[in-house]
Every structure is written in C-alpha cells, then in structure tokens.
Amino acid sequence: MSRRYRLRHRAVLYAIITCVGILLCAEWLAGIAVGDAPATRFFAAQDKNLFRADPELFWTLRPRAVLADEGIRVNGAGFRGPPIEAAEASRARIVCLGDSVTFGFKVRQHESYPARLQAALVDRFAVQVINAGVPGYTSLQGLRRFERDIVPLRPQFVIASFGSNDTLNATRRDSEQRVLSPWMFRLRRLLDRSKLVRWLASTRQEEPQTTRCTPSEFTENLRAMARLAEENGCRIFFFHPLHASREDLRAVGITLPPELAQIDVAGAFVATGPDARSMFQSDDNHPTARGNALMARTIAAFLRESGALDRFAR
C-alpha cells in the first residue's frame, strides 16, 4: 500500500470521525433545547404510554396499553375496554366512534358512556358495545378509522360524535397532512427519534392559519360516514359535541347535516336544569362520570324507543 494511499485513507477516516463527533455534539445540544418535546404537533401523540403514531390516522391508541392510575386499559385490537368477543348473529354489535368524549376523558373505564351503555342495555338485549373513541380525533380521522378499523368489525349500529377538534387552530388542515407509505413512515419515525431533527423542525414552526377541518370538510366527512354505514349494512346515529358554557350546551361553530339521524344528547343535559353544568369537567367540554351516565341513558332510551334493538331482545 503506497504512502499516498495511506494518507488519503487516514484523511477520510479522520473526516468521518469529525463529522460523527459534530453530529453527536449537535444532538446533545439539541437535546438540551427540546427536552422531551414530541416530534408531532398533535397533542394526543405526546403520551407514548397511551398512543402510537399511525401513517393514516396520525395516532391511535397503543394496543394493550395500561394506565392503572387513570383506569385506562386498551385491548389488543386498540380499543379502550375488554377484548372484543366474536360476533354472533343474535347479538347486536354497537360501536361508539368519536373523540375524547367517547373515549372517556378523565373518567374510569366503567364510567365511560360506552361502558355504561352496555350496562344499560344488556339486561333486555343481546348487545356488545365497543368504545372506538380516541382523544383528539377530528371527523376526518373518524372517517378514516371507520373505513379501516370499524367496517371489518361488521357492527349493526354506530354512534358517532365529532366536531370539537375540527375547529382547533392549525398550520394546515388534516386533509393536507401526508399519508405515508409503510417504509416512509418507518423512516419518519426513525428520524423523529433524533433531537436534532426535532429541534430543526421547531425552528420553522408556522403560525396557525386555518382549522384542522373546515366546516365544509366536517359536513362532507359526516355524510361520507353515513354513506359508508349504509354500504356496509349498519345504521349510524350522530350526536352534537357538547360545551357547558352555552345555553343549549352545544359546542359552537359546528352544524350537523340535518338529513343525518341524530340523538339529542345535549337536550337531555338541558332538561336536567341548573344541575346540567355540574355534569361537566372544569374545561366545560368533557362530561364527568355523572355526565357520561346521562349520555348512556339518553342513547339507550333512543335505541329502545326507536325499535332498533327489537330483534336482539332477550
């Protein structure tokens, strides 16, 4: 080996070592700057014990996640609650699709409205209620989850509620977020582990200029859910998102398409009189355990009185 070749080889090696050293120092300094800040801008993916990133839905519940202090258990299929039992023709499968209100924000597992709905119906009807709520979801995420995760469950009924997260400020709409291929998603997740990459992303954050879903997108997403339900032989019912600060207890800026089948959950709260606002948590958006119980009673009464469950009577 010639002396010139050895010198060139040594120079390349030194250059590689220098670059690696610079990158390690930059990663260390970036770690000081960003700390444990998540790579994603979506708040719900911050808790890695409960959520995992998803190329289509942005995040989903982490299968088999357990947060014992908060009374949260996620089954192997990624739904809050016990394992999903095998479907039976004689038993109605009801899927509750929604955001943190459906999931049961800051209430125990048995206090969430889907769990209480099961308890309210099971004495008279053969039913299985599945909690498909995920905190932070918009109507677009709900539509995508319906198509990908709910249709294969072949439910007879879907109870859906979205809208509050659609109106949140964002730098770009949910519909503009890229849906990544599997290999690009894996590369993105690998890069997201780098504090340097996260620091670089934080230096170019834009100011919010839109909402996560526009009113027209919200309307079309709900109509698409209704079409999807009809195509797959199930009935879907919607209820308006709630907010305790308003007289009618309906979240502002959200209008459900009038042709869709709706359950007047907000009206049930209003009917309780002055006590209604005490059934909401301090954020005025999420019902307490008592509020979840009222939601379940209202939805159960609607399903009973509509005759939807008659063929599943015990």
Side-chain angles (χ1 to χ4, degrees):
M1 182 182 294
S2 67
R3 185 171 181 273
R4 179 180 297 178
Y5 182 84
R6 288 197 301 272
L7 289 175
R8 185 180 300 170
H9 185 271
R10 188 177 300 171
V12 171
L13 181 61
Y14 286 161
I16 292 173
I17 293 173
T18 300
C19 289
V20 170
I22 291 172
L23 286 174
L24 290 174
C25 288
E27 181 77 6
W28 177 74
L29 291 171
I32 296 174
V34 301
D36 293 326
T40 176
R41 69 182 178 87
F42 293 119
F43 82 94
Q46 291 182 8
D47 188 343
K48 294 180 181 179
N49 293 320
L50 181 58
F51 302 99
R52 69 177 183 184
D54 186 281
E56 288 182 89
L57 305 177
F58 313 143
W59 67 85
T60 56
L61 298 180
R62 184 177 294 281
R64 299 182 180 84
V66 177
L67 280 69
D69 291 344
E70 301 177 40
I72 295 173
R73 287 184 176 272
V74 180
N75 63 32
F79 298 89
R80 184 179 187 182
I84 298 174
E85 299 175 3
E88 298 177 9
S90 60
R91 179 171 59 178
R93 177 170 279 177
I94 303 172
V95 172
C96 299
L97 182 65
D99 50 29
S100 53
V101 171
T102 298
F103 174 83
F105 181 71
K106 289 190 176 180
V107 299
R108 312 291 290 184
Q109 198 111 314
H110 67 279
E111 295 172 333
S112 67
Y113 101 71
R116 290 183 179 273
L117 180 62
Q118 168 91 28
L121 294 173
V122 73
D123 285 346
R124 290 182 52 190
F125 304 97
V127 297
Q128 178 186 33
V129 180
I130 298 170
N131 185 340
V134 180
Y137 265 24
T138 62
S139 59
L140 178 62
Q141 290 169 292
L143 173 60
R144 289 179 179 176
R145 190 171 204 217
F146 189 178
E147 185 170 20
R148 190 188 76 180
D149 300 338
I150 307 305
V151 167
L153 295 176
R154 301 177 65 184
Q156 283 78 23
F157 306 97
V158 173
I159 312 296
S161 180
F162 293 97
S164 296
N165 296 302
D166 292 55
T167 63
L168 295 179
N169 292 332
T171 57
R172 63 174 61 91
R173 299 195 303 273
D174 276 18
S175 58
E176 296 173 338
Q177 300 292 329
R178 290 182 61 192
V179 174
L180 302 176
S181 64
W183 73 269
M184 278 296 295
F185 177 66
R186 287 192 290 270
L187 177 61
R188 174 78 175 270
R189 294 303 298 156
L190 180 64
L191 291 175
D192 280 349
R193 294 176 184 175
S194 167
K195 292 181 173 61
L196 179 59
V197 170
R198 283 151 56 184
W199 177 77
L200 290 171
S202 69
T203 62
R204 56 182 181 84
Q205 285 184 348
E206 306 169 44
E207 290 297 320
Q209 297 178 342
T210 184
T211 55
R212 291 185 59 192
C213 293
T214 64
S216 59
E217 286 176 329
F218 170 75
T219 298
E220 181 50 38
N221 288 336
L222 264 60
R223 286 174 173 160
M225 289 184 204
R227 291 194 297 270
L228 190 61
E230 184 177 6
E231 290 167 3
N232 287 276
C234 73
R235 298 177 64 182
I236 186 167
F237 306 101
F238 297 87
F239 66 89
H240 199 286
L242 307 170
H243 206 280
S245 66
R246 305 188 69 232
E247 287 299 319
D248 63 1
L249 300 182
R250 293 170 180 260
V252 69
I254 301 166
T255 303
L256 271 62
E259 74 273 14
L260 302 182
Q262 299 178 33
I263 305 173
D264 189 13
V265 172
F269 279 87
V270 172
T272 65
D275 191 43
R277 283 171 177 78
S278 69
M279 287 189 280
F280 286 85
Q281 298 177 34
S282 58
D283 60 8
D284 286 342
N285 185 36
H286 296 95
T288 63
R290 287 180 59 227
N292 273 267
L294 177 59
M295 293 169 65
R297 291 197 302 271
T298 303
I299 295 170
F302 174 88
L303 293 174
R304 287 194 299 265
E305 293 166 9
S306 68
L309 294 173
D310 286 354
R311 65 189 180 97
F312 300 102
R314 292 187 184 279

